[in-house]
Amino acid sequence: MASGLSLISIPNLPTPARTFPKHPQQIPLFSLPPHSFHVNPSFNSRTISSSNGGSSPALHAVREEVIPSTSSDSTSDSKTAPSSSSKVVLVIGGTGGVGQLVVASLLNRNIKARLLLRDPEKATTLFGEQDEEKLQVFKGDTRNADDLDPSIFEGVTHVICCTGTTAFPSKRWEGDNTPERVDWEGVRNLVSVLPSSLQRVVLVSSVGVTKFNELPWSIMNLFGVLKYKKMGEDILRNSGLSFTIIRPGRLTDGPYTSYDLNTLLKATAGQRRAVLIGRGDKLVGEVSRLVVAEACIQALDIECTEGKTFEVNSVEGEGPGSDQQKWRELFKAAQAQ
C-alpha cells in the first residue's frame, strides 16, 4: 500500500540538561542469583550451556533456529567490518521478545555484548552466567535521562535498540511504560547521548508508522504507538549518526519471554524463515522474531543498509539464516524496487 498522507509535525524537543552519576551501576552476571530450568528430555535440541552447567532459553532458541554461515567472510562489506573480537554491541531492550534473541545470537557469534537493563537479574535468567568479557550488564532505563552515563558507551562500536511496549493499555504499561515514554522519550534520550564514533545504530520500529492516520493503522495508533515510533525514527535519522531502521510486520513465534522452557523450545520450531524485505512502508504481513533479530545483526555490517529504512516480513520456507551474502542480496534487492 502506497502512503499518501502528510505527517504531523514533530516537535523539536530539547534534551534537558542533566548531571550524570559519578559511578554508573555495572552488574556482574556472576553475582546474580542463578535460575534453574527443567528441560523436556524428549525434545532434541543442541544448547549453549552457561558457566554453571545450566542452559538459557534464549540461547536454546538461537541454537535451534540459526545456522552459522562460513561463506560471508570473503565479501566486500566484511573487509571493513570489525572482527568479532573488536566489536562491542550495546543492546537496548535486551530482555524483550526480539532483544533477547539479538543478545543470544551475539553470544553465539562470540561478539561482545553490553546490556542496559531496568532489571539486571533478567540477564542471568535468560543468558545464564556469562564471563564479563562476553557480556556486561548495566542497570539503567532510557526513559530516565540521568541513567545514561557516558561511561556506559565507552568502547561500544554498535548499538541495537529494540525497546517497545504494547500498542494498547495493558499490564506492561504499569510504571509509566507507555508508547510515548518508551518509543519517543526513551529513544530521544538514548540518541542524544550516543557517541558520534559509533559505526552503526540499528533501531527496531514498526510497519505502518507513516500511515498512522489511515485505516487500519489508525486503530493500532489509537494510543499513539505508531506516531511515537515514527518520532523516534526521525530523531535518529536527523542525529548525524550512522543508522539503519528495521520495521517488522506483526511479530510471530514467541514471544520468547515464556517462563516455561518447554513452551519456549517448541515455539522456536516455526517455519517462517523465508525473508521479504521492502521499502517505503508498503510491506504488510507477519515476521518471526528470530528473523527480526537476525536482520538487526546483519544490518550492523552490511554497508548498503546505512542510512536506510527497511520493512521486514517472513513467510514459510527456507531463508537466509545467518548467511551475510544472502542478506546483502535481500537488502540490495529491496533498494532496487
Side-chain angles (χ1 to χ4, degrees), residues 325-336:
Q325 180 57 31
K326 290 180 180 179
W327 277 97
R328 181 181 295 105
E329 292 169 359
L330 286 168
F331 283 123
K332 285 184 175 179
Q335 294 181 69

Side-chain angles (χ1 to χ4, degrees), residues 181-216:
R181 293 283 282 130
V182 174
D183 294 311
W184 164 232
E185 295 180 19
V187 173
R188 181 195 65 194
N189 291 340
L190 176 67
V191 169
S192 69
V193 297
L194 290 177
S196 59
S197 59
L198 288 171
Q199 297 182 35
R200 190 69 59 88
V201 180
V202 176
L203 174 66
V204 178
S205 181
S206 173
V207 298
V209 295
T210 68
K211 301 181 284 190
F212 56 77
N213 284 330
E214 301 177 11
L215 286 171

Side-chain angles (χ1 to χ4, degrees), residues 62 66 100-110 293-294 297:
V62 171
V66 177
Q100 63 180 274
L101 294 171
V102 169
V103 176
S105 290
L106 293 173
L107 295 175
N108 196 34
R109 288 166 158 90
N110 293 316
E294 186 64 28
I297 294 173

Side-chain angles (χ1 to χ4, degrees), residues 18-22 24 90 114 138 145-156 193-195:
R18 56 192 181 275
T19 302
F20 293 118
K22 293 182 179 180
L90 174 65
R114 188 175 298 178
F138 286 82
D146 289 341
D147 285 0
L148 302 178
D149 188 285
S151 63
I152 295 171
F153 310 104
E154 291 178 359
V156 171
V193 297
L194 290 177

